[in-house]
Structure formats: C-alpha cells, structure tokens
Amino acid sequence: MIAVFCFFCFALIANNSKADNTRKSGYVVQRPVIVRDGSESGDQNISSNGDLQNALSTAPMGLNIADYFKLGEFPENNAKILDGNSVQRSLSSILQVTDGPRQTGAIWSDSNPDDKLEKLEPNYIDISSSNKRPQTLSMWLYFGNGGYGQVGDGMAFVLQNDPREEKAISRRKYSTGEVGTGQTLGVWGYDYVKGKNLTEQDIANTAIQNSFAIEFDTFPDLGGSKYTGMGSGGVPANIKAGNSFDYELSGQPNQHIDMEYPDDKYTYEKRDFGFLFKHYNLESAPRKPGQFYGKFTDGTWHHMTITWTNLEDGKHANLKYEFNDKNIDGSKLNPNSSLMEHKFKVDLAHFKTPASNRLRWGFTGSTGDEFENNLIIFESVPSFLSGNVEPSIRDDTQNKVISDGVKSVYEGDDLTFNYKLNYQNGPKDWEKIKSLITLPSQVKFQSAEVIYAGGETEFISQDSFNQKDSKLTYVLQRNLNSKLKTATIRIHANAQTLGNNIGSAHGRFESKYLILDGDTHEFDIVQNSLTIKTDPAEGKNFQDLQSIKENQKIAVYVNKNDLTALPDTTLYYKIKGKTNLKTITGLERGKAAYIEIDKGNFEIGQNILEIYAVDNQTKERSRTVKLEYNVGRDLRFGDVSEEVYFQQINEGYKDELVRRKKGWKVEVIDNRSTGNPWKLYAEAVALSKDGNTNQQLDADLIFKHKAGNIDFLESGPMIDFGPSVVPGKKSTQITDHWSKDDGVLLKLNGRNKKGTYKTQICWSLYDTL
C-alpha cells in the first residue's frame, strides 16, 4: 500500500541583472535523398528545385514501404521512390511521380511480389465478395508551389486491371507511340493527334484500361500552357487537341479533384477543337481568405483518406475520399479548414475480374511545359494491416462521457482520457505501437495504464509523461493481432483551470505498418455551483486500531451559489467499496451536516473516505472530497519552509550553479510502528518572471547528489529516503544532509535579464510498504 503526501511549499526567488536573454541551442536536420530506381537524377533535381527541399524538410512521418511498390515498366517513366530521413523521424518512403517538364510517371502497388526470400506481402485492394470490411488508404500528398498556369499538371490515384500490368500508361496507341503527357496525367485518353477524325471511343482506347481514377488536376487545360482568354464564339483563343479537357470549366482556371473511368467513352465529349473531359464528379479546390481561386499547389502537404468498401450485392463497391481531413500535425481538421469529400459507386465488372480478386493501385502523373513535384507519403495500406483508434473522455466524478451534448466538466473533476486501439485485419501484427498523447494544459496528469482485451493491465511509469510538454510517450509492450485485438490506453487527470472550448487531446500511434491519429472531444471546465467542505479537511492518523473511537464524526458544509437556504441534498460517502447515503433537508449555509463512520470500517494502513453531494432537484453533483485515514503508520511532513531563496547573481554564465540562501527546511516525521522505508520526491517547473510564464529564467532547478550526479526537478526525481538511521528518531530534517554545493541548486543555461523569478516545488512523501 502506498500513501502519498504532496505539499506545495514555497515561492522560489532569484535576482539577475544586466543580462542577455538569448538562448543559443538546437541543431540542423539534414535530409539525404536516395533515388531507389538506380538513376542518378535525384541530386540534380534537388539542386535545381528548391521546392523539393521544402517538401522534404516539412514532410510528415510515413511508412517505410518502398519494397512494396514497383515503378511503371516503360522507358519514359520518370517516377522515383525517395527516402526522406531525419533525426526526429524514422525512415519514410516518399513516392515521387514527376518533378520536371514533359514527364510521365507511374508507380504501382506490387500485388504479386516475386521476392520469396524477404517474404514480402502483396499490396492490393481486395474486391472479393466475401470481404465486406472497409479498406483504408491513408496518405499525404504534395503538389508543389506555384500559381495558376505556372505549375502542372497534377497526378492521379488509379485502380486498374490493365493486361499490361506495370507497363500500363496512356499512349498514342494502346501499346505503342508516345506516352501521354500534360492533361492525360498518365491515365486519361490521349488527345494529341491532329487531322484525324477520332471518336470518344478512340480516346478511351488510349487510356489505362479496366481502370478507375481520382485525378488531382492542378493545371487549367483551356488552351496551351498559358491561358490567353476567349477567341471567337466564346472558345479559348489557343485551344487545340491536347489541351482542351477543362474547357467546360467556363474559361476559369480551376484546380480540382474528379473521379471517372478513364477507359469509358462517356468520360469524353468531342468538340471541333478537341475533346472535353466530362467532370461528372467535380470538386473544386476550396478558396482560402484572400484567394480568388482555391489551389493545391501551395507548398504544403495535404492529407487524404481513401476508403474502399465492397457492397453486399457483390457487384459494386463504394469508394470515398476525404481530402484535407487532417492538419499537418495529425490533429483533426480545423472547422475553418477546407475539407473535400466525395463518394462513388464503382462497378466491379469494369475491372474484368483481376486474378485472385486483387486490384492493382498506384499513382500516375504527367507534365507539359509547366511542372511540379508530385509526392506521396503513406500512413496505412489495407493489405498489410487495418486498425483504428476510438478516443473518448470520461468524467469519473460526474459519471458521464464527454460528447456534443455533454461538454462541461467541473473544476476539480477527475477525468480519464481513453484511446482504444482496435486491430481489424491483415497479415501483419500491429507491433511496437509508439503512443504520443498530448493532454490540454488545463488538466493535470495523475497516472496511466494500458488495458488489453481480457483485462490484462500494463501500468505506465510516471517518467513516461513530460509535464513541460504535457505529453505521454509510451510503447505498448504487447502486439495486437487476431488473437489480441484491443488495447485501451487510459490517462487519468484532474480538471484544473477554468475555460471554454478546451482543445482536444491529440493521440498519435506510430508503428511499422500503420500510423493513426485520434482526437478526443473538446470540452469546457466550469465552476461547480454546488460545493462541499469537510472537517477534518484531509483525514487523520491513528497509532493503531485501539486508538480509534467507536464512531468517527465528519462535519460536511454544503454551499450552492451562496444561498442562505440550501436545496434538499443527498450526501454520498464511500469507504471500503461500500457507498452509503444521507439525505439532508432544511440545511442553512454555514451549518454542518454530520456523517459517522463506524470504527469497524477502518483497517491497518491507508483508508480512503470519499464524500460528495447531489442536489436532489437539479441532480447537480459536487466534486468528491477524499479523506485519508492512516492507521498504524503516521508518516507526514513537519516543518517545511513556505518561501525560500537562492543567492542573488549578476549576469551569470552557462553551467553556473547558484547556491541556496539560509532558511531551507523539509522535515519528515515518521511515527509508524514499523520501520518501513519512505521515499521523498521533488518536482518543479521552470522559474518565471513575476508570474508571467512567457518570461522564464533560462535555468533549471536541479538536485545534486553527494556523488556529483545531477537530476532535474522537472522530471520529479527521488531526493531522499528513510527510515531514520538513528533508532528511535521520529524526525528527519532533510536539508541537514545537504552541503552548500549539493542538494537543490539552480543551474544556469546562459545569461538572463534582471528580475525576480519564482516557481513552486511539490514535495511528495511515499510510504513504500
């Protein structure tokens, strides 16, 4: 059993003068780029295109799955697979479709790997009628940086069962002639042939066959590389075969998403000047403030989720995309951001029954005179591993789950942040799951654990939580798979600071074959109008069971909005797992109601009595007061200084240790009947100037041991331990063990501006029986 005593004890003050508050630290991350296809053009592209450097330096973390893709097998293919490496991120595979003018590129999933030695899993979409589970592709897309008509042409996500397999690409003829550049995006029909009487079917025959595609079109195909306005008859002046697909967009430059069947004649419409692309499922790039047109080519990464679900009829599937559905840090979409989403009912017969019902998928792209970097990073691939996360917050004090209709918690309420990880399917185990969970700053972390399916509990050390960043970092010790499908990470915290629309608690879960993000619901921390106080306020300590009176009487003072006459109220009190209640009527503010606890409810060690009140009419509930009764183990703080000081300094210098002034006292009183050991811990945050947390002292509070090793108080280290080494001694003054050059000291990291800096130290005393 563990008894914890936490005592917030003092304001720490240090005076510095005539200093420069500049802190010089950090490092530069270098990101090497390796061309995986054996060519030597990667370094040339990087040096000639600063946009690629921007893309790599801002790239989010992704999966390292280069071995599960094949480059399109045609001589003109310009696609590559890059490796973006960083000190802070694990290796991520980056697919590059195009990066220069007059290029065509294609990268395909390897649906039937031939490398048996590495035992690579096939990469595909399963369209078999027996598979009804959603199959999710989660990815980041990058489209370069430039204005309308300055970059192009985009890329396309393609599902295909073309007989040419990895050789599939749009061409002037089905298997011969020039590859399609510009508006074809490497997948749509080839409309460059002049002087021939072509039909819509002729154009469809030059596309990738047995296919379905989602295009991300970044160039207005309205007549040449530069739009020159309208000519006679309302037709663009320089429109001709090969640049007319977007004419139906009324002459307005428009970056957009659309999805159609590339090899279907109804996707195209013949005109005198060329062919139109029929945008049946058009979604235009949303505009940001100050933009006349929306665009994708903004120099930032865009997240996209594609979900494929086979329908019950066995003949169709729903394909849904959600574009801009996550922020770059992985958090859920800001309501003011621009989500684009669309759903399409795909006819499976169009794919002509691929072998083993495995549908090949990938990306194609092409450029004309203008070009851009088209890049993809993956977070999930359905044929490896499928899973999801269910985040939630439970108010344990109020016994409710936070939702759209229930957003308020009371100051002081105990909260549990839950992240349930669900393994769904796949040949890979969900292994070495690294969890990174950031709590709102308005709550205080208490403890955390993992609960696996079946009830096995894995306790998470306090050291896994960084108080400064309010972040938990922890790797699950067990793998999730078909035999162990769920793990719930539970973080217990207390609502500390009043506020409305407190941000979500973001969780990120990284592993080799799956990366997921999850955000809890936003909530408010409000003041509780129904409050209680007790006498005693904290509990009592008894030498032994014989020293306890037959009935322990507790006075409970109820208050609601400072009313003189209080509403009818029920007091609930629980000890040893049993809850009792007492209804009180006619109570006035300032007058106590009494409850009595029978002596038989106490046992040797720690006894916790929990008390709360409920307004019988409104059902509003007060916070829970916890009283601690210790029997036979009286361990507590004695004389502890409430305000202490460090020596004054002038300017200071890096690594200088500032000594304490006189007056530091931390007394431990141990009246226990046995000699069980105790441990003393100390924890403190950075010193701030005059209570302004934005002006922090460039220094760390440390504890220097006699042996010379140093612990930082930010991490809450152990300071001392007992019991007393002198037999019969009941009191230990911890600071008597410190010399002027060890114990709690202040370590400067540089020079600081003059002023008075303060913080608090929390001393925690543990009975370690």
Side-chain angles (χ1 to χ4, degrees), residues 230-465:
M230 293 296 180
S232 60
V235 175
N238 56 347
I239 199 168
K240 57 186 183 296
N243 62 19
S244 60
F245 272 5
D246 295 335
Y247 169 63
E248 70 163 331
L249 302 181
S250 303
Q252 299 182 11
N254 188 316
Q255 295 187 1
H256 59 266
I257 301 176
D258 194 276
M259 50 184 175
E260 313 289 349
Y261 297 104
D263 56 334
D264 191 329
K265 67 178 182 180
Y266 296 106
T267 299
Y268 311 94
E269 179 181 329
K270 186 176 182 179
R271 293 292 181 89
D272 292 340
F273 47 79
F275 286 84
L276 302 183
F277 182 95
K278 302 299 295 289
H279 295 91
Y280 293 118
N281 299 282
L282 180 70
E283 294 287 340
S284 297
R287 290 181 294 172
K288 294 181 180 179
Q291 284 185 340
F292 187 65
Y293 299 110
K295 65 176 185 176
F296 306 135
T297 55
D298 55 4
T300 64
W301 288 87
H302 298 260
H303 191 268
M304 186 172 194
T305 302
I306 297 175
T307 306
W308 176 279
T309 308
N310 296 317
L311 299 182
E312 292 293 337
D313 63 6
K315 299 179 180 180
H316 298 87
N318 276 336
L319 187 151
K320 179 183 179 181
Y321 71 75
E322 296 168 281
F323 186 86
N324 284 339
D325 58 333
K326 286 201 299 191
N327 298 313
I328 190 65
D329 63 358
S331 61
K332 67 180 179 182
L333 178 73
N334 186 309
N336 296 323
S337 297
S338 303
L339 174 68
M340 301 173 65
E341 56 183 338
H342 203 91
K343 183 184 290 186
F344 192 94
K345 189 175 181 179
V346 180
D347 183 1
L348 298 181
H350 196 86
F351 299 112
K352 306 287 196 308
T353 314
S356 303
N357 288 309
R358 294 178 178 181
L359 196 58
R360 181 178 286 104
W361 61 271
F363 281 86
T364 64
S366 60
T367 61
D369 293 333
E370 281 67 43
F371 62 95
E372 67 198 28
N373 283 296
N374 288 135
L375 307 171
I376 309 104
I377 294 175
F378 287 99
E379 290 185 323
S380 71
V381 173
S383 58
F384 298 163
L385 175 63
S386 292
N388 64 21
V389 55
E390 299 177 42
S392 65
I393 306 176
R394 181 176 183 80
D395 186 327
D396 299 319
T397 301
Q398 303 294 330
N399 192 28
K400 63 184 181 183
V401 176
I402 304 304
S403 63
D404 286 333
V406 183
K407 288 188 61 179
S408 296
V409 305
Y410 291 126
E411 183 183 19
D413 280 2
D414 292 323
L415 309 176
T416 299
F417 294 80
N418 297 291
Y419 297 85
K420 185 179 181 183
L421 304 180
N422 299 297
Y423 169 89
Q424 293 176 320
N425 212 316
K428 302 289 188 182
D429 272 15
W430 196 356
E431 60 183 10
K432 297 180 182 178
I433 305 171
K434 183 179 181 181
S435 306
L436 303 103
I437 300 171
T438 304
L439 297 182
S441 60
Q442 295 88 342
V443 305
K444 183 173 178 58
F445 172 83
Q446 305 288 349
S447 64
E449 71 268 353
V450 182
I451 309 295
Y452 292 100
E456 179 187 347
T457 301
E458 184 175 288
F459 292 101
I460 299 176
S461 167
Q462 295 265 344
D463 296 338
S464 298
F465 189 79

Side-chain angles (χ1 to χ4, degrees), residues 480-491:
L480 299 185
N481 47 43
S482 59
K483 295 181 180 179
L484 183 65
K485 289 195 170 186
T486 67
T488 302
I489 301 169
R490 301 197 310 193
I491 304 176

Side-chain angles (χ1 to χ4, degrees), residues 33-48 52 71 77-82 96 99 103:
V33 178
I34 305 169
V35 181
R36 296 293 298 276
D37 64 354
S39 75
E40 299 179 356
S41 61
D43 292 335
Q44 297 172 1
N45 291 332
I46 293 169
S47 62
S48 63
L52 182 58
L71 299 177
N77 190 12
N78 295 105
K80 309 174 186 68
I81 300 177
L82 312 178
Q96 184 182 68
D99 67 343
Q103 289 187 352

